[in-house]
Amino acid sequence: MLSRSKTVDFLREIPVFSGLEQTALERICMQAHDLDAVKAKLLFVSGDPAEFFYVIKSGWVKLFRETLDGNVAIIDILTTGHMFGETSIFEDGAYPYSAEIVEDAAIIALPLADLKQEIENNQQLALAMLTSMARYRKQQEQEIEHRTMQNAPQRIGCFLLRLTRQNETGPVTIHLPYDKTLLASRLGMQPETFSRALSKLKEATGIRVKGATIELDNLEQLTNYSCAACSSEFPCKDIAASSS
Amino acid sequence: MLSRSKTVDFLREIPVFSGLEQTALERICMQAHDLDAVKAKLLFVSGDPAEFFYVIKSGWVKLFRETLDGNVAIIDILTTGHMFGETSIFEDGAYPYSAEIVEDAAIIALPLADLKQEIENNQQLALAMLTSMARYRKQQEQEIEHRTMQNAPQRIGCFLLRLTRQNETGPVTIHLPYDKTLLASRLGMQPETFSRALSKLKEATGIRVKGATIELDNLEQLTNYSCAACSSEFPCKDIAASSS
DNA sequence: CGAGGGTTTGAAGTGCATCAAATAGTGTGG
DNA sequence: CCACACTATTTGATGCACTTCAAACCCTCG
């Protein structure tokens, strides 16, 4: 079936699956189904029985939980090439967070049972998952550091840098991938703080802001300002997404 | 050799190694050596070539990095049954953080190469590592949430709760495991803030503080106060440490 | 054009950080 | 066992960053 083989091809572009043999990938994709979802759709909520894991072809997805006193904690915001829900393999069979579409998305749903079985029987996949987990872990450490060491304008600058190809020289144009309110909560601040912090960043570094579009003359403008408060070698990398 | 077999016995108590066959554990422990270290000793610094990973028998170890502008970011503070340095398997062969003893410790050093080889050849161990990584990942998510949703007194209360056996009823005595300055940075606040926040917690919940010893009449005192701002089911669990 | 959400701006408050200094606690040598 | 030196902790005063509440503005889309 054509769509099946396209799914296999897509997964092969994702680091965690790229080293697998064709037949292994095909086993995982056997029960795959595509779904298109519009903004604001809830894919699942925390506590739902976990049957599928998901891979994003395009669009943006928000993972979050709600606290007892009614606030919302953002776990992560993901896009093309990212995978989510797969950690339920190591859980009690329920999703530990809710997932909502924040920008219209094309998504592949795959049975967790098939992934689990493949991991248990396929050393290569188990190792690839380990590598992927380790990378994610490192990134979370970085996230914690950012939130404690960087102030609001620096966090925004750092986020912008991670939206670029990080070896670029010369002028760059960045387009914010989702709305500023959500971006604010992604960075752990209020929308009002985001707005003011962006102004401060503009003033401090000379970037130009027009709505969701941001231009800068060179990346150094931002790295000098944002990366001073960080322990990482300059480019704070994000999880390697799809190579596409 | 007696000490060798004791090492094996100790590792077996740690979840990630507990399911391994005796021979596999012995291979990992082949080159083990014990070391006793006093407070303030640096085990390694960020960037050092990574040759060993470590398992803590007793004492406390601080993992940290330094930022370009000279601040210190605490990665984690670990104790009995915890393992560190093992993520260098998935790195470029250098430690991504520094490690310092903060309370006199007995530690086992084991060659990374042996662990790496065993993971690559032993499906069981690879799966156990995956489970362990997933648990750690979940805990880091929690850490991020705590820092954004809880205020300083709540974070302290939550930390105290995680020092208890969480199903206890009736009065409990808690002893702070390391000094308050370090504890403050572990919780992402200044020492002065810690001191004042502890007073506020005392006033709000009725706990009794005498130096590093804290008494409470029951855990509910604290959970009501601290866990409201959190999305987790009551007990915020820590990584399962040694079962000892 | 008008409704509604996203975004910005203003004013005021809160929590935490910072700087400075006092106090408590600990280990040392006498 | 005491006095001293040194560190950990607390307390006070002040400032700044971020939040909160409120209102205006802007943009898009029916």
Side-chain angles (χ1 to χ4, degrees):
Chain A
M1 203 195 284
L2 182 60
S3 92
R4 184 102 325 134
S5 96
K6 275 170 67 179
T7 300
V8 169
D9 291 344
F10 183 78
L11 286 199
R12 189 176 294 294
E13 299 298 315
I14 298 173
V16 71
F17 295 120
S18 63
L20 293 199
E21 292 175 11
Q22 182 72 10
T23 54
L25 260 181
E26 280 169 357
R27 279 195 295 276
I28 291 173
C29 294
M30 196 82 82
Q31 312 278 336
H33 57 268
D34 289 307
L35 54 103
D36 294 307
V38 298
K39 192 166 170 165
K41 174 174 172 139
L42 266 176
L43 284 179
F44 54 77
V45 302
S46 175
D48 277 1
E51 208 177 325
F52 300 98
F53 73 102
Y54 300 86
V55 177
I56 306 175
K57 290 207 284 191
S58 68
W60 289 83
V61 177
K62 166 178 88 174
L63 309 182
F64 65 100
R65 272 199 292 257
E66 292 179 36
T67 63
L68 293 180
D69 57 9
N71 285 73
V72 171
I74 302 287
I75 310 291
D76 214 341
I77 297 177
L78 307 173
T79 189
T80 309
H82 291 146
M83 176 167 68
F84 61 96
E86 86 283 4
T87 51
S88 295
I89 288 181
F90 311 102
E91 307 275 334
D92 47 11
Y95 292 114
Y97 43 67
S98 309
E100 181 189 321
I101 307 294
V102 290
E103 293 297 332
D104 295 359
I107 292 179
I108 307 170
L110 302 133
L112 274 168
D114 294 351
L115 179 66
K116 181 169 187 180
Q117 188 173 9
E118 192 66 29
I119 288 176
E120 283 167 357
N121 296 314
N122 184 337
Q123 177 75 355
Q124 206 172 21
L125 178 56
L127 292 177
M129 286 285 294
L130 263 176
T131 303
S132 154
M133 284 279 221
R135 187 166 43 219
Y136 191 85
R137 172 174 171 164
K138 195 171 177 186
Q139 195 180 296
Q140 275 183 312
E141 278 170 8
Q142 224 170 53
E143 181 69 28
I144 294 174
E145 181 181 321
H146 286 158
R147 296 216 183 183
T148 44
M149 315 293 278
Q150 297 180 316
N151 63 20
Q154 285 173 327
R155 283 213 294 287
I156 296 176
C158 178
F159 182 86
L160 293 179
L161 284 170
R162 279 176 282 150
L163 289 175
T164 65
R165 283 182 271 107
Q166 311 199 323
N167 39 15
E168 236 156 339
T169 58
V172 183
T173 301
I174 301 169
H175 197 81
L176 300 181
Y178 38 81
D179 61 57
K180 292 180 178 176
T181 305
L182 183 60
L183 186 40
S185 71
R186 161 71 183 79
L187 297 175
M189 61 187 86
Q190 298 308 117
E192 296 94 329
T193 302
F194 179 88
S195 176
R196 289 186 252 256
L198 186 55
S199 301
K200 207 172 279 185
L201 183 68
K202 193 165 66 177
E203 200 188 306
T205 65
I207 63 175
R208 290 174 295 284
V209 181
K210 253 178 284 178
T213 304
I214 293 171
E215 294 176 355
L216 31 147
D217 296 329
N218 55 67
L219 295 186
E220 251 184 74
Q221 273 181 300
L222 280 181
T223 55
N224 289 341
Y225 182 80
S226 288
C227 299
C230 193
S231 71
S232 308
E233 0 39 277
F234 145 50
C236 271
K237 294 186 206 68
D238 254 335
I239 301 177
S242 157
S243 62
S244 61
Chain B
M1 204 193 285
L2 182 62
S3 91
R4 185 101 328 135
S5 98
K6 274 170 70 180
T7 300
V8 169
D9 291 345
F10 183 78
L11 287 198
R12 189 177 293 297
E13 299 298 315
I14 298 174
V16 71
F17 296 120
S18 63
L20 293 198
E21 293 175 10
Q22 182 72 12
T23 53
L25 261 181
E26 280 169 358
R27 278 193 296 275
I28 292 173
C29 294
M30 196 84 78
Q31 312 278 337
H33 57 267
D34 288 307
L35 54 105
D36 293 308
V38 298
K39 192 164 171 168
K41 174 177 170 136
L42 266 177
L43 284 180
F44 53 79
V45 302
S46 176
D48 276 1
E51 207 178 327
F52 300 99
F53 73 103
Y54 300 86
V55 177
I56 306 175
K57 290 209 284 191
S58 68
W60 289 84
V61 177
K62 166 177 88 172
L63 310 183
F64 66 100
R65 271 198 294 257
E66 292 178 37
T67 63
L68 294 179
D69 56 9
N71 285 75
V72 172
I74 302 286
I75 310 290
D76 214 340
I77 297 177
L78 306 173
T79 187
T80 309
H82 290 147
M83 176 168 65
F84 61 96
E86 86 284 6
T87 51
S88 294
I89 289 182
F90 311 102
E91 307 275 335
D92 47 12
Y95 292 114
Y97 42 67
S98 311
E100 180 188 322
I101 307 295
V102 290
E103 293 297 333
D104 293 0
I107 293 179
I108 307 168
L110 302 134
L112 274 169
D114 293 351
L115 179 66
K116 182 170 187 179
Q117 187 174 10
E118 192 65 28
I119 289 176
E120 282 167 357
N121 297 314
N122 185 336
Q123 177 76 358
Q124 208 172 21
L125 178 56
L127 293 176
M129 286 287 293
L130 264 175
T131 304
S132 155
M133 284 279 220
R135 188 167 40 220
Y136 192 84
R137 172 174 171 164
K138 195 173 177 182
Q139 194 180 296
Q140 275 183 312
E141 280 170 8
Q142 224 170 55
E143 181 68 28
I144 294 175
E145 182 181 322
H146 286 158
R147 298 217 182 181
T148 44
M149 315 293 279
Q150 297 181 317
N151 62 24
Q154 284 173 327
R155 283 212 295 285
I156 296 176
C158 178
F159 182 87
L160 293 178
L161 284 169
R162 279 175 282 150
L163 289 175
T164 67
R165 283 182 270 108
Q166 312 200 319
N167 39 16
E168 236 156 339
T169 58
V172 184
T173 301
I174 301 169
H175 198 81
L176 300 182
Y178 37 82
D179 61 59
K180 292 180 178 177
T181 305
L182 183 60
L183 186 40
S185 71
R186 160 71 182 79
L187 297 175
M189 62 186 84
Q190 298 307 118
E192 296 94 329
T193 302
F194 179 88
S195 176
R196 288 185 252 258
L198 186 55
S199 301
K200 207 174 279 186
L201 183 69
K202 194 166 66 177
E203 199 188 307
T205 65
I207 63 175
R208 291 174 294 285
V209 182
K210 254 178 283 177
T213 304
I214 293 172
E215 295 177 351
L216 31 146
D217 296 328
N218 55 66
L219 296 186
E220 251 184 72
Q221 273 180 303
L222 279 180
T223 55
N224 290 340
Y225 182 79
S226 288
C227 299
C230 193
S231 71
S232 308
E233 357 44 275
F234 146 49
C236 272
K237 294 185 206 70
D238 255 334
I239 300 179
S242 157
S243 64
S244 62

